[in-house]
Every structure is written in structure tokens, then in C-alpha cells.
Amino acid sequence: MSRAPKIYFASDFHLGMPSGEKSLLREKKVVSWLNEIAGDATEIFLVGDIFDFWFEYKTVVPKGFFQLLATLRSITEKGISVKIFPGNHDLWMFDYLEEHCGVEIFRNALEFSTEKHLFFVHHGDGLGPGDPGFKFLKKIFRARFAQFLFRWLHPDIGIRLATGWSKKSRLAQDPQEDQYLGDDKEYLTQFILQDAEARSNKGEQVPDFYIFGHRHLVIDRSFERGDKIVRYINLGHWFQVGQYAVYDGQDLKIEWL
């Protein structure tokens, strides 16, 4: 018996970290999950940092990830829509995945509606107040000239430099990274509250669900905005277990593998 159609969301696989062996085990877990949900998925949203580093040269892409790429191709060939949002670690996605895997790439926020709900989806990097240093770096990394310069590095050098930087960045993270810091200190929470208030003041429809990755923490919080209940969903990461959100047309729930 066929299952009711659903929309799935997951984020922050960070394939490639911290070692090839551990990354491959995580990739197999991701692939197994994708094959399982393909039985009832109408759309799959992969909300950023799928890879810990990704850069597409003119004729070269990072080595590995064959199982994931082949699975994405198989899923899209079945008519299932796969939407990928580049994160801050894999923002240098260009057209390779679209051409060879059949996915859609969204470099900015995406809003979409179902019969009952309005969704706002984005990786989450650079949103909300604060973190001016990162926002400045992101502008540089997204600049065509910076991408042009990086392409002049031999792939063996460029990829090694980028992955080394990624490891140092992760080791330097605040130990409070796995704790919710409070509504007044969480950038994404502040973004949601400000965005919802601005829309409400303009008489615009406020999203029912704001869905992000990036934070590396599973979050499901609700906020009242007038007569509207707004939910903030953060999808966490897949370094330990793996979790995802699933929408069945009525409600959105976080599920664990």
C-alpha cells in the first residue's frame, strides 16, 4: 500500500569531515535515508552544508561522494524534486549538481506554500543581527572575482587549504554551540521575530514555518505573533545520529533515525 506523500528537510551532513572513513559511514547513512524516504517523498530539501567543502572548477569537482551523487540522480529521475541550498561550507556550488544530478540549487531564501501553510527555507548563515565578520567574508566568497582567483589554484592545493581552514574553524567553535542561548542571543530567532513582525505590520502573510540549518542544534520553538503561531525549526547536524523534518500536509515534525 502506498504511503501518503510528504515533504522532507535535512541539513548539515558535512560530508568530507572529519576523515574519509567517518565521512563515508555518514554518507551511507544519508543514502540509506534518502532511499527510504523516496517511497513517499514529493520534495526533498537539503538545507545547506551537505559537503564540508565544495568547489567546482571548470573541469574538476571534489573527489568522492559518489554514492550520494548517484542516489540524488536516481531520486530525481523518479520525478521527485530535490532542492539544495548551498551553506557557508559548500557555497561554491555552480551548475554541476543541477546538470548531472537533476537537483535544483537555491542560493537565497525560498518561500513556498502548501494548501495550509507558508514555508520560509534558508541555510541560515548571515541572517539576523550580529556576526559582521562572517557577513563580510561571505560577500567576498560569493564575489565572482574571488571565485576566479581561487580557480587559479591547483585543485590539490585549493581543496587542501579549504579543508584545513574548515577543520580549524570547527575546532575554534564556542563550547556553547550545542546549547540554545536564549531568544535574545540567537541570531536566527531574532531574524524570525523581526521578519514576522515586519510582515505583520505590512499586512503580509507571515510564514508558518521558518526552516534553517547552520546552527548545528535541533530546535523546535513556537512564537506568538498576534493571532499567528510561528514555528522555528532548526535541523541540527548528522555528526552523531541524524535527524530530519517531515511535513505530511497537516503538520511538521522532527524525526530521528
Side-chain angles (χ1 to χ4, degrees):
M1 186 174 70
S2 62
R3 297 177 291 185
K6 297 180 175 68
I7 302 174
Y8 291 87
F9 306 83
S11 182
D12 290 85
F13 303 147
H14 285 275
L15 297 181
M17 280 287 290
S19 66
E21 181 180 0
K22 292 183 178 180
S23 173
L24 182 59
L25 291 175
R26 193 159 63 255
E27 182 180 359
K28 289 180 177 179
K29 181 166 61 176
V30 171
V31 166
S32 176
W33 171 72
L34 287 170
N35 285 325
E36 170 63 23
I37 67 173
D40 60 12
T42 57
E43 292 182 279
I44 300 172
F45 289 76
L46 302 181
V47 192
D49 285 355
I50 306 309
F51 308 101
D52 199 70
F53 172 73
W54 182 270
F55 186 87
E56 297 172 20
Y57 293 83
K58 292 292 186 181
T59 57
V60 176
V61 295
K63 181 180 179 181
F65 317 121
F66 174 77
Q67 293 186 55
L68 174 64
L69 299 181
T71 301
L72 291 175
R73 181 66 183 179
S74 174
I75 288 174
T76 58
E77 285 181 339
K78 295 176 182 177
I80 301 170
S81 173
V82 177
K83 296 176 171 62
I84 292 181
F85 294 72
N88 51 301
H89 281 257
D90 50 15
L91 60 85
W92 283 336
M93 291 182 182
F94 302 123
D95 57 11
Y96 179 84
L97 296 177
E98 290 182 318
E99 291 182 0
H100 294 274
C101 299
V103 306
E104 298 176 84
I105 302 293
F106 292 87
R107 293 173 177 81
N108 298 300
L110 174 66
E111 293 184 29
F112 71 95
S113 297
T114 63
E115 291 185 3
K116 294 181 178 291
H117 299 104
L118 176 63
F119 290 75
F120 181 102
V121 185
H122 187 276
H123 179 59
D125 56 317
L127 298 183
D131 208 1
F134 170 75
K135 291 176 181 177
F136 177 72
L137 282 176
K138 184 176 180 180
K139 288 182 179 179
I140 294 177
F141 290 156
R142 295 187 71 170
R144 290 184 178 275
F145 185 64
Q147 297 165 8
F148 170 80
L149 291 177
F150 193 86
R151 277 202 175 98
W152 279 96
L153 290 175
H154 188 283
D156 287 349
I157 297 173
I159 292 175
R160 178 171 294 184
L161 285 173
T163 54
W165 186 15
S166 174
K167 290 178 182 179
K168 289 182 180 179
S169 174
R170 189 171 308 286
L171 290 173
Q173 285 180 347
D174 191 309
Q176 290 184 314
E177 174 74 16
D178 62 350
Q179 302 175 19
Y180 189 80
L181 303 178
D183 295 347
D184 58 335
K185 294 182 179 179
E186 292 280 348
Y187 295 155
L188 290 176
T189 299
Q190 287 298 303
F191 169 82
I192 292 167
L193 295 176
Q194 292 170 10
D195 184 70
E197 182 176 1
R199 290 175 188 247
S200 180
N201 290 338
K202 294 177 183 177
E204 299 175 355
Q205 184 178 5
V206 177
D208 299 278
F209 302 107
Y210 288 83
I211 300 179
F212 302 111
H214 186 57
R215 183 60 179 84
H216 289 189
L217 183 67
V218 177
I219 299 170
D220 184 354
R221 294 182 65 82
S222 297
F223 306 97
E224 290 188 18
R225 279 297 173 264
D227 59 353
K228 179 92 171 189
I229 301 296
V230 175
R231 281 177 65 190
Y232 165 27
I233 302 293
N234 200 291
L235 300 164
H237 63 74
W238 283 53
F239 279 104
Q240 278 81 45
V241 181
Q243 59 285 313
Y244 57 93
V246 55
Y247 177 73
D248 61 4
Q250 302 294 326
D251 194 16
L252 184 73
K253 298 179 180 178
I254 294 177
E255 302 283 353
W256 300 78
L257 295 182

